[in-house]
Amino acid sequence: MNALPKNANHASTAPAYFSVWDLHAYYGESYIVQGVSFNVHEGEILALLGRNGAGKTSTLRAIARLDNPSLTHGEIWLDHERLHTMKSHEAAVAGMALVPEDRRIIAGLTVEENLQLAQIVEPVGWSLERIYDLFPRMGERRKQEGVTLSGGEQQMLAIARALARDIKVLLLDEPYEGLAPVIVDEIEKTLNVIKEQGITTVIVEQNAIRALNLADRSVILDTGTVVFDGTAKEVLDNAELRAEYLAI
């Protein structure tokens, strides 16, 4: 088991491209995230894993600077910028994008209008042409109302909408939930293309084996704390670790 990054709690330490240092957050009165720290290199895919209730989604939401859960202590750095001092919309402008489990496709808007809305907020992201090259189905369905798409297509739209802005880090919460394996294959191919573009990805996923086969590295949480920080291969090769903390 690998130790946490040295001096992870000290702002004076030069941060990695994307760093979370000693993060603490609450849901109401519940103390969910209890000192989470990890570093991610530019272009890496990190699988953030753990059993149900381990604090994975709460960690993502705290990183994205959402008001609930509330961040009470810790630092979040992205490309040498202090995200922990920012509001959620400021963190988004700095390059942070969260795709939540419910995808939040806007009803009444077509696929293209969902994408254009993101570009109105920040018009310097990927062009529609570039997005449609990566997501051909979105191009084919660009005039269709977004909420009428299949589950897999909605997930693709949610990721495409994130890319419509100029992002540096993509946070994905349960992107494979309810999707057929063939659709998951397609999403993973897309995530590998995104990785080639230098975008860093943090993925929370209950299908741990699929996430580990995709990821470069993994962090495992248990009751809001980090119990493992290392390569994805180390987790795949360690049956005892998987059984204890992932139940697989």
Side-chain angles (χ1 to χ4, degrees):
M1 186 176 301
N2 290 5
L4 296 179
K6 291 183 179 180
N7 302 318
N9 299 339
H10 297 288
S12 60
T13 304
Y17 182 75
F18 178 52
S19 297
V20 174
W21 292 348
D22 197 26
L23 195 68
H24 298 255
Y26 285 77
Y27 262 111
E29 298 297 319
S30 300
Y31 181 26
I32 305 296
V33 183
Q34 304 181 23
V36 169
S37 298
F38 58 82
N39 290 328
V40 192
H41 296 296
E42 185 174 5
E44 275 191 329
I45 298 176
L46 175 77
L48 184 62
L49 304 176
R51 296 174 183 261
N52 287 334
K56 305 181 299 296
T57 294
S58 297
T59 298
L60 280 194
R61 289 177 62 83
I63 290 170
R65 308 302 298 114
L66 299 182
D67 292 333
N68 188 13
S70 59
L71 177 65
T72 60
H73 181 76
E75 300 183 7
I76 305 159
W77 294 78
L78 174 57
D79 197 12
H80 298 89
E81 287 196 74
R82 300 170 181 259
L83 268 60
H84 50 282
T85 63
M86 299 180 183
K87 301 293 186 183
S88 59
H89 69 278
E90 294 170 331
V93 171
M96 180 76 66
L98 170 65
V99 177
E101 184 178 357
D102 61 7
R103 298 159 190 153
R104 299 186 185 177
I105 305 304
I106 300 174
L109 297 185
T110 66
V111 166
E112 192 157 288
E113 288 168 340
N114 268 274
L115 296 172
Q116 288 173 329
L117 185 62
Q119 292 182 322
I120 289 171
V121 175
E122 189 176 351
V124 295
W126 288 21
S127 67
L128 289 178
E129 180 180 359
R130 186 180 179 190
I131 290 170
Y132 292 151
D133 283 343
L134 182 58
F135 299 91
R137 291 192 194 189
M138 298 299 97
E140 294 167 4
R141 292 159 173 74
R142 60 185 180 274
K143 299 304 180 185
Q144 183 175 335
E145 187 177 356
V147 294
T148 67
L149 299 175
S150 69
E153 290 167 345
Q154 287 191 32
Q155 186 64 64
M156 292 177 193
L157 175 56
I159 296 172
R161 187 176 56 191
L163 294 173
R165 300 189 294 102
D166 185 24
I167 69 168
K168 298 176 181 179
V169 170
L170 179 64
L171 309 176
L172 296 173
D173 192 9
E174 303 287 358
Y176 306 160
E177 178 68 26
L179 303 184
V182 65
I183 302 299
V184 174
D185 289 343
E186 193 168 343
I187 290 173
E188 288 183 339
K189 288 178 183 177
T190 301
L191 294 178
N192 276 316
V193 173
I194 291 171
K195 175 182 178 179
E196 292 171 1
Q197 306 298 313
I199 295 173
T200 301
T201 300
V202 178
I203 179 171
V204 164
E205 179 52 53
Q206 285 299 319
N207 190 337
I209 296 299
R210 294 232 37 165
L212 288 165
N213 280 315
L214 173 72
D216 302 292
R217 294 182 46 250
S218 178
V219 166
I220 299 177
L221 301 183
D222 185 49
T223 60
T225 62
V226 175
V227 293
F228 175 86
D229 183 343
T231 68
K233 186 177 185 301
E234 285 178 279
V235 183
L236 288 169
D237 291 344
N238 191 328
E240 183 178 350
L241 177 69
R242 296 198 314 272
E244 182 173 0
Y245 293 113
L246 303 176
I248 55 174

PDB file of all heavy atoms in Angstrom, residues 17 41-44 167-169 192-201:
ATOM      1  N   TYR A  17      -0.157  18.673 -10.989  1.00  0.00           N
ATOM      2  CA  TYR A  17      -1.092  19.344 -11.906  1.00  0.00           C
ATOM      3  C   TYR A  17      -2.468  19.486 -11.265  1.00  0.00           C
ATOM      4  O   TYR A  17      -3.092  20.543 -11.314  1.00  0.00           O
ATOM      5  CB  TYR A  17      -1.190  18.535 -13.201  1.00  0.00           C
ATOM      6  CG  TYR A  17      -2.097  19.173 -14.216  1.00  0.00           C
ATOM      7  CD1 TYR A  17      -1.672  20.302 -14.935  1.00  0.00           C
ATOM      8  CD2 TYR A  17      -3.362  18.669 -14.469  1.00  0.00           C
ATOM      9  CE1 TYR A  17      -2.495  20.907 -15.864  1.00  0.00           C
ATOM     10  CE2 TYR A  17      -4.191  19.275 -15.394  1.00  0.00           C
ATOM     11  CZ  TYR A  17      -3.755  20.387 -16.091  1.00  0.00           C
ATOM     12  OH  TYR A  17      -4.584  20.990 -17.002  1.00  0.00           O
ATOM     13  N   HIS A  41      -1.495  13.515 -12.190  1.00  0.00           N
ATOM     14  CA  HIS A  41      -0.705  14.161 -13.228  1.00  0.00           C
ATOM     15  C   HIS A  41      -1.587  14.551 -14.412  1.00  0.00           C
ATOM     16  O   HIS A  41      -2.660  13.981 -14.624  1.00  0.00           O
ATOM     17  CB  HIS A  41       0.416  13.237 -13.695  1.00  0.00           C
ATOM     18  CG  HIS A  41       1.414  12.918 -12.631  1.00  0.00           C
ATOM     19  ND1 HIS A  41       2.219  13.877 -12.052  1.00  0.00           N
ATOM     20  CD2 HIS A  41       1.737  11.746 -12.027  1.00  0.00           C
ATOM     21  CE1 HIS A  41       2.999  13.315 -11.143  1.00  0.00           C
ATOM     22  NE2 HIS A  41       2.717  12.027 -11.105  1.00  0.00           N
ATOM     23  N   GLU A  42      -1.121  15.502 -15.174  1.00  0.00           N
ATOM     24  CA  GLU A  42      -1.863  15.956 -16.342  1.00  0.00           C
ATOM     25  C   GLU A  42      -2.084  14.795 -17.311  1.00  0.00           C
ATOM     26  O   GLU A  42      -1.167  14.053 -17.651  1.00  0.00           O
ATOM     27  CB  GLU A  42      -1.100  17.078 -17.050  1.00  0.00           C
ATOM     28  CG  GLU A  42      -1.852  17.694 -18.202  1.00  0.00           C
ATOM     29  CD  GLU A  42      -1.131  18.898 -18.794  1.00  0.00           C
ATOM     30  OE1 GLU A  42       0.010  19.193 -18.346  1.00  0.00           O
ATOM     31  OE2 GLU A  42      -1.702  19.543 -19.694  1.00  0.00           O
ATOM     32  N   GLY A  43      -3.344  14.612 -17.738  1.00  0.00           N
ATOM     33  CA  GLY A  43      -3.679  13.564 -18.693  1.00  0.00           C
ATOM     34  C   GLY A  43      -3.898  12.188 -18.090  1.00  0.00           C
ATOM     35  O   GLY A  43      -4.224  11.251 -18.812  1.00  0.00           O
ATOM     36  N   GLU A  44      -3.733  12.051 -16.777  1.00  0.00           N
ATOM     37  CA  GLU A  44      -3.980  10.761 -16.135  1.00  0.00           C
ATOM     38  C   GLU A  44      -5.481  10.515 -15.937  1.00  0.00           C
ATOM     39  O   GLU A  44      -6.271  11.459 -15.827  1.00  0.00           O
ATOM     40  CB  GLU A  44      -3.318  10.695 -14.759  1.00  0.00           C
ATOM     41  CG  GLU A  44      -1.872  10.281 -14.769  1.00  0.00           C
ATOM     42  CD  GLU A  44      -1.368   9.976 -13.368  1.00  0.00           C
ATOM     43  OE1 GLU A  44      -1.839  10.578 -12.393  1.00  0.00           O
ATOM     44  OE2 GLU A  44      -0.463   9.129 -13.265  1.00  0.00           O
ATOM     45  N   ILE A 167     -11.997  22.830 -20.494  1.00  0.00           N
ATOM     46  CA  ILE A 167     -11.759  22.169 -19.216  1.00  0.00           C
ATOM     47  C   ILE A 167     -10.369  21.545 -19.150  1.00  0.00           C
ATOM     48  O   ILE A 167      -9.754  21.236 -20.168  1.00  0.00           O
ATOM     49  CB  ILE A 167     -12.831  21.099 -18.906  1.00  0.00           C
ATOM     50  CG1 ILE A 167     -12.708  19.900 -19.849  1.00  0.00           C
ATOM     51  CG2 ILE A 167     -14.216  21.707 -18.961  1.00  0.00           C
ATOM     52  CD1 ILE A 167     -13.538  18.717 -19.407  1.00  0.00           C
ATOM     53  N   LYS A 168      -9.907  21.377 -17.913  1.00  0.00           N
ATOM     54  CA  LYS A 168      -8.629  20.729 -17.652  1.00  0.00           C
ATOM     55  C   LYS A 168      -8.817  19.416 -16.896  1.00  0.00           C
ATOM     56  O   LYS A 168      -8.024  18.492 -17.050  1.00  0.00           O
ATOM     57  CB  LYS A 168      -7.722  21.661 -16.838  1.00  0.00           C
ATOM     58  CG  LYS A 168      -7.383  22.961 -17.546  1.00  0.00           C
ATOM     59  CD  LYS A 168      -6.565  23.893 -16.648  1.00  0.00           C
ATOM     60  CE  LYS A 168      -6.236  25.198 -17.346  1.00  0.00           C
ATOM     61  NZ  LYS A 168      -5.471  26.125 -16.465  1.00  0.00           N
ATOM     62  N   VAL A 169      -9.850  19.378 -16.037  1.00  0.00           N
ATOM     63  CA  VAL A 169     -10.139  18.183 -15.245  1.00  0.00           C
ATOM     64  C   VAL A 169     -11.612  17.823 -15.402  1.00  0.00           C
ATOM     65  O   VAL A 169     -12.495  18.672 -15.236  1.00  0.00           O
ATOM     66  CB  VAL A 169      -9.812  18.383 -13.753  1.00  0.00           C
ATOM     67  CG1 VAL A 169     -10.337  17.218 -12.924  1.00  0.00           C
ATOM     68  CG2 VAL A 169      -8.318  18.520 -13.551  1.00  0.00           C
ATOM     69  N   ASN A 192     -10.570   7.625 -23.455  1.00  0.00           N
ATOM     70  CA  ASN A 192      -9.168   7.482 -23.852  1.00  0.00           C
ATOM     71  C   ASN A 192      -8.764   8.554 -24.856  1.00  0.00           C
ATOM     72  O   ASN A 192      -7.634   9.050 -24.821  1.00  0.00           O
ATOM     73  CB  ASN A 192      -8.927   6.083 -24.440  1.00  0.00           C
ATOM     74  CG  ASN A 192      -8.676   5.039 -23.357  1.00  0.00           C
ATOM     75  OD1 ASN A 192      -7.937   5.291 -22.412  1.00  0.00           O
ATOM     76  ND2 ASN A 192      -9.286   3.878 -23.491  1.00  0.00           N
ATOM     77  N   VAL A 193      -9.692   8.930 -25.746  1.00  0.00           N
ATOM     78  CA  VAL A 193      -9.409  10.028 -26.678  1.00  0.00           C
ATOM     79  C   VAL A 193      -9.249  11.334 -25.911  1.00  0.00           C
ATOM     80  O   VAL A 193      -8.350  12.134 -26.193  1.00  0.00           O
ATOM     81  CB  VAL A 193     -10.525  10.146 -27.736  1.00  0.00           C
ATOM     82  CG1 VAL A 193     -10.317  11.397 -28.590  1.00  0.00           C
ATOM     83  CG2 VAL A 193     -10.563   8.911 -28.615  1.00  0.00           C
ATOM     84  N   ILE A 194     -10.124  11.554 -24.924  1.00  0.00           N
ATOM     85  CA  ILE A 194     -10.030  12.753 -24.091  1.00  0.00           C
ATOM     86  C   ILE A 194      -8.676  12.785 -23.378  1.00  0.00           C
ATOM     87  O   ILE A 194      -8.033  13.833 -23.269  1.00  0.00           O
ATOM     88  CB  ILE A 194     -11.193  12.786 -23.085  1.00  0.00           C
ATOM     89  CG1 ILE A 194     -12.513  13.017 -23.817  1.00  0.00           C
ATOM     90  CG2 ILE A 194     -10.977  13.852 -22.026  1.00  0.00           C
ATOM     91  CD1 ILE A 194     -13.738  12.842 -22.944  1.00  0.00           C
ATOM     92  N   LYS A 195      -8.244  11.630 -22.897  1.00  0.00           N
ATOM     93  CA  LYS A 195      -6.936  11.550 -22.240  1.00  0.00           C
ATOM     94  C   LYS A 195      -5.825  11.977 -23.190  1.00  0.00           C
ATOM     95  O   LYS A 195      -4.896  12.700 -22.796  1.00  0.00           O
ATOM     96  CB  LYS A 195      -6.703  10.116 -21.760  1.00  0.00           C
ATOM     97  CG  LYS A 195      -5.322   9.888 -21.161  1.00  0.00           C
ATOM     98  CD  LYS A 195      -5.136   8.441 -20.742  1.00  0.00           C
ATOM     99  CE  LYS A 195      -3.729   8.224 -20.199  1.00  0.00           C
ATOM    100  NZ  LYS A 195      -3.515   6.833 -19.753  1.00  0.00           N
ATOM    101  N   GLU A 196      -5.915  11.575 -24.452  1.00  0.00           N
ATOM    102  CA  GLU A 196      -4.902  11.946 -25.443  1.00  0.00           C
ATOM    103  C   GLU A 196      -4.862  13.451 -25.672  1.00  0.00           C
ATOM    104  O   GLU A 196      -3.842  13.984 -26.110  1.00  0.00           O
ATOM    105  CB  GLU A 196      -5.181  11.219 -26.766  1.00  0.00           C
ATOM    106  CG  GLU A 196      -4.966   9.715 -26.694  1.00  0.00           C
ATOM    107  CD  GLU A 196      -5.460   8.994 -27.939  1.00  0.00           C
ATOM    108  OE1 GLU A 196      -5.954   9.686 -28.860  1.00  0.00           O
ATOM    109  OE2 GLU A 196      -5.362   7.757 -27.993  1.00  0.00           O
ATOM    110  N   GLN A 197      -5.963  14.130 -25.357  1.00  0.00           N
ATOM    111  CA  GLN A 197      -6.014  15.580 -25.486  1.00  0.00           C
ATOM    112  C   GLN A 197      -5.393  16.287 -24.281  1.00  0.00           C
ATOM    113  O   GLN A 197      -5.377  17.518 -24.208  1.00  0.00           O
ATOM    114  CB  GLN A 197      -7.465  16.045 -25.642  1.00  0.00           C
ATOM    115  CG  GLN A 197      -8.234  15.373 -26.759  1.00  0.00           C
ATOM    116  CD  GLN A 197      -7.636  15.637 -28.125  1.00  0.00           C
ATOM    117  OE1 GLN A 197      -7.313  16.772 -28.448  1.00  0.00           O
ATOM    118  NE2 GLN A 197      -7.479  14.598 -28.917  1.00  0.00           N
ATOM    119  N   GLY A 198      -4.909  15.499 -23.298  1.00  0.00           N
ATOM    120  CA  GLY A 198      -4.263  16.065 -22.121  1.00  0.00           C
ATOM    121  C   GLY A 198      -5.199  16.394 -20.983  1.00  0.00           C
ATOM    122  O   GLY A 198      -4.784  16.996 -19.986  1.00  0.00           O
ATOM    123  N   ILE A 199      -6.479  16.009 -21.104  1.00  0.00           N
ATOM    124  CA  ILE A 199      -7.443  16.281 -20.043  1.00  0.00           C
ATOM    125  C   ILE A 199      -7.327  15.210 -18.963  1.00  0.00           C
ATOM    126  O   ILE A 199      -7.285  14.016 -19.253  1.00  0.00           O
ATOM    127  CB  ILE A 199      -8.877  16.334 -20.607  1.00  0.00           C
ATOM    128  CG1 ILE A 199      -9.006  17.522 -21.560  1.00  0.00           C
ATOM    129  CG2 ILE A 199      -9.912  16.430 -19.491  1.00  0.00           C
ATOM    130  CD1 ILE A 199     -10.315  17.580 -22.307  1.00  0.00           C
ATOM    131  N   THR A 200      -7.268  15.653 -17.725  1.00  0.00           N
ATOM    132  CA  THR A 200      -7.187  14.762 -16.571  1.00  0.00           C
ATOM    133  C   THR A 200      -8.604  14.332 -16.178  1.00  0.00           C
ATOM    134  O   THR A 200      -9.517  15.160 -16.180  1.00  0.00           O
ATOM    135  CB  THR A 200      -6.505  15.481 -15.401  1.00  0.00           C
ATOM    136  OG1 THR A 200      -5.197  15.882 -15.815  1.00  0.00           O
ATOM    137  CG2 THR A 200      -6.405  14.593 -14.172  1.00  0.00           C
ATOM    138  N   THR A 201      -8.776  13.057 -15.839  1.00  0.00           N
ATOM    139  CA  THR A 201     -10.098  12.535 -15.493  1.00  0.00           C
ATOM    140  C   THR A 201     -10.050  11.834 -14.140  1.00  0.00           C
ATOM    141  O   THR A 201      -9.136  11.053 -13.879  1.00  0.00           O
ATOM    142  CB  THR A 201     -10.598  11.539 -16.560  1.00  0.00           C
ATOM    143  OG1 THR A 201     -10.674  12.203 -17.826  1.00  0.00           O
ATOM    144  CG2 THR A 201     -11.973  10.992 -16.208  1.00  0.00           C
TER     145      THR A 201
END
